[in-house]
Amino acid sequence: MDFNTRRQRTYNSQAIILKRRNLGEADRLLTLLTPDHGKVNAVAKGARKPATKKTGHVELFTRANVLISKGRDLDVLVQAEMTEAYLPLREDLTRGAYANYVVELLDRFTFDDDAHQGSLFQLLDQTLAHISYDDDIRRAVRYYELHLLDAIGFRPELTECVVTREDVEPVDQYFSFADGGVVAPGSQHLALATVPISLNALKVLRHMQRSSYEQVASLSIRPNLHADLERIMLGYIQYTLENRLQSVDFIQRLRRMISSP
Amino acid sequence: MSKAIPEPVTKLIEAFSRLPSIGPKTAARLTYYLLREQDDTALVLAEALTDMKTKTRFCSNCYNITTQDVDPCAICSDPDRDKSTIVVVEEPLDVQAVERTGGFEGQYHVLHGVISPVNGIGPDDLKITELVKRVEADPITEVIIATNPGLEGDATAMYIQRALDGKGVKITRPARGLPTGGDLEYVDSVTLMRALQGRSELG
């Protein structure tokens, strides 16, 4: 980087709107994910008034082209034009609830202004599209979790036992939330916070971890296998975050509502 | 804060700085304004604040803000208002917004927020169960869900729709479209699409 060049005052970028909260009389403070600047906060002035140019272009979980001006304290969103609305997230409660989950996950695992996390932009963008249009939302969500964990340094170890470091045998195994990976049946007592993982579940997770989404999209996953995968991934994620996720409670609640009308 | 300023003054400055969008400088300016003011502005303000806190409560029917001795609130107990239609809003201020139109004669239900898992707000943090109970108990025929248009407001509306499913009420949502004085060129695609879908015939 050339330190002699003047710091650029404004920049154009793609951005996905992750969070927003009201600020002052009619402004909104937005949290955006950008490809080159990572997660940034910016004020959209006047965005709560119905007839401003920005209203509607800075909706949650949409992708927009934005022009951001760097301020001394807060950056200011000067212009915004929505480029992808991910409409089904707005029209289907379940899809919207999963969108909340993937965004909450990203928000919890990342820090503001970390440019290295810009690579997550593409992952989130694709995932929001998958959640909007795919038939199997949970498959898309599991794929996202594995690749998000990979990008931020919590990649679960699925090929060798985290205790013995030996290759995993093709039988049912255990998964340790504390050690972040598979534990061979014989070493289960040596690892903390373990749950059983079936060989089938392990195979699916491994396939997702090393394949492109196009390859994973041909996979058809039965409901009880989905329940297994979800239990393991959510368990590992919530153990790592040391926190329950609100969006998970909401998804489970919706599921109960649908199954018992 | 420096010892040069007497404690009652610093106390007020600190109290002001706890308010949203008021920094230490503004807080100090407000405090010194009140200090210098000859008339009773400060005392009126003090009394108004105390009254606001001690003499108000939520209406037990619609959860709008009402005075301590008027429950149900003035709108809920008004015999001239239509009890069969209720508008569901996010905040008490939204009740005022609908009232300002002068075109609605029914009653209200204030949720006190919207479902927003990212901000840690779930259905239990809102007055949704209370709304369902109200619909079951009262002769309500239409529920107009006027949460803010947007992802969270829409999700809350869909959630309420599911919660009221099978209760025999008509559930509607205000139309959305182009704002008066707005410019078509600057309208986002979602709003424009919905505006076209909900177009109405002239004449």
Side-chain angles (χ1 to χ4, degrees):
Chain A
M1 189 191 279
D2 183 5
F3 288 97
N4 292 323
T5 51
R6 261 176 54 203
R7 203 178 72 144
Q8 216 180 338
R9 296 282 302 157
T10 59
Y11 62 88
N12 252 310
S13 179
Q14 297 243 69
I16 296 171
I17 291 106
L18 304 180
K19 279 198 300 190
R20 57 174 199 192
R21 67 180 178 84
N22 294 344
L23 191 76
E25 189 78 1
D27 304 343
R28 279 207 161 108
L29 179 65
L30 308 172
T31 304
L32 310 165
L33 183 70
T34 62
D36 299 323
H37 301 262
K39 192 166 82 174
V40 295
N41 290 308
V43 183
K45 297 210 162 149
R48 274 150 68 202
K49 293 185 194 154
T52 58
K53 297 175 203 168
K54 271 168 264 177
T55 313
H57 292 282
V58 288
E59 253 299 300
L60 276 181
F61 313 160
T62 60
R63 190 180 68 215
N65 271 328
V66 294
L67 179 65
I68 290 175
S69 164
K70 279 182 174 288
R72 207 168 41 176
D73 300 324
L74 282 169
D75 292 354
V76 176
L77 182 116
V78 187
Q79 281 171 26
E81 191 183 9
M82 190 200 289
T83 49
E84 171 59 62
Y86 307 113
L87 210 54
L89 304 181
R90 275 142 252 287
E91 292 173 342
D92 183 312
L93 196 49
T94 306
R95 291 185 196 275
Y98 277 104
N100 260 295
Y101 170 70
V102 297
V103 169
E104 186 179 11
L105 215 53
L106 188 117
D107 190 43
R108 293 282 194 94
F109 273 123
T110 55
F111 300 99
D112 288 352
D113 302 311
D114 182 349
H116 300 295
Q117 288 168 341
S119 62
L120 297 175
F121 179 86
Q122 209 189 352
L123 177 65
L124 182 66
D125 185 37
Q126 287 171 350
T127 304
L128 289 178
H130 298 151
I131 295 177
S132 300
Y133 302 107
D134 273 17
D135 295 330
D136 192 345
I137 307 172
R138 286 204 269 182
R139 187 178 58 202
V141 170
R142 298 288 95 82
Y143 181 85
Y144 167 80
E145 289 167 340
L146 283 164
H147 289 262
L148 176 73
L149 289 168
D150 206 343
I152 53 175
F154 286 102
R155 179 189 169 101
E157 176 56 65
L158 301 173
T159 51
E160 57 180 45
C161 166
V162 290
V163 176
T164 63
R165 291 289 156 200
E166 280 165 13
D167 286 351
V168 167
E169 300 283 324
V171 288
D172 289 354
Q173 306 281 334
Y174 287 89
F175 186 92
S176 162
F177 295 154
D179 296 292
V182 176
V183 180
S187 314
Q188 187 221 345
H189 60 285
L190 294 170
L192 286 170
T194 54
V195 288
I197 177 171
S198 69
L199 184 63
N200 248 342
L202 183 59
K203 277 182 178 167
V204 171
L205 291 181
R206 251 193 250 168
H207 178 52
M208 285 185 170
Q209 198 174 47
R210 59 183 175 216
S211 312
S212 68
Y213 189 76
E214 287 66 37
Q215 289 168 290
V216 172
S218 57
L219 214 61
S220 129
I221 302 170
R222 280 173 292 105
N224 51 356
L225 184 55
H226 254 318
D228 261 11
L229 296 172
E230 184 176 271
R231 184 175 47 83
I232 290 157
M233 290 309 292
L234 281 184
Y236 176 49
I237 286 165
Q238 302 203 52
Y239 188 93
T240 309
L241 284 172
E242 296 178 349
N243 227 322
R244 272 194 76 75
L245 291 155
Q246 268 284 342
S247 48
V248 172
D249 293 345
F250 186 57
I251 290 170
Q252 286 167 351
R253 206 190 166 98
L254 283 181
R255 224 175 264 163
R256 284 198 300 273
M257 255 179 132
I258 295 165
S259 58
S260 59
Chain B
M1 214 163 282
S2 93
K3 281 183 187 151
I5 307 169
E7 204 227 321
V9 179
T10 54
K11 232 172 110 181
L12 184 59
I13 294 178
E14 274 163 23
F16 271 131
S17 357
R18 278 157 67 179
L19 299 178
S21 70
I22 291 189
K25 284 266 185 270
T26 315
R29 262 200 298 277
L30 289 170
T31 306
Y32 280 100
Y33 171 80
L34 291 172
L35 198 63
R36 270 197 303 268
E37 202 58 10
Q38 295 298 319
D39 57 26
D40 55 356
T41 313
L43 296 176
V44 171
L45 182 67
E47 200 189 321
L49 286 173
T50 319
D51 284 357
M52 189 265 292
K53 246 356 223 187
T54 55
K55 294 188 181 166
T56 57
R57 55 170 299 166
F58 289 136
C59 168
S60 59
N61 191 42
C62 71
Y63 296 92
N64 194 4
I65 292 160
T66 178
T67 40
Q68 200 60 257
D69 47 349
V70 182
D71 183 35
C73 69
I75 294 178
C76 288
S77 47
D78 185 344
D80 292 336
R81 295 192 76 114
D82 175 12
K83 288 192 169 36
S84 66
T85 312
I86 51 177
V87 165
V88 178
V89 291
E90 288 177 24
E91 300 292 344
L93 274 175
D94 299 330
V95 173
Q96 278 187 31
V98 181
E99 279 296 283
R100 268 201 304 273
T101 65
F104 177 68
E105 287 295 315
Q107 297 191 331
Y108 295 91
H109 189 90
V110 184
L111 295 173
H112 293 279
V114 269
I115 296 172
S116 173
V118 174
N119 294 320
I121 302 166
D124 292 338
D125 301 313
L126 311 174
K127 306 285 178 200
I128 293 179
T129 330
E130 289 81 354
L131 174 67
V132 176
K133 281 189 190 139
R134 221 179 133 184
V135 168
E136 283 168 348
D138 298 347
I140 293 162
T141 53
E142 182 176 354
V143 175
I144 306 168
I145 309 175
T147 49
N148 288 335
L151 185 106
E152 290 155 334
D154 290 348
T156 309
M158 286 189 277
Y159 185 86
I160 293 174
Q161 183 199 353
R162 279 204 193 160
L164 292 178
D165 198 26
K167 309 270 183 229
V169 284
K170 187 165 136 193
I171 301 164
T172 55
R173 190 121 168 79
R176 69 173 67 174
L178 306 172
T180 309
D183 201 321
L184 207 64
E185 182 190 352
Y186 291 118
V187 173
D188 65 282
S189 52
V190 176
T191 306
L192 190 54
M193 193 190 76
R194 299 237 161 101
L196 286 171
Q197 285 169 349
R199 67 189 181 276
S200 50
E201 205 175 322
L202 286 176

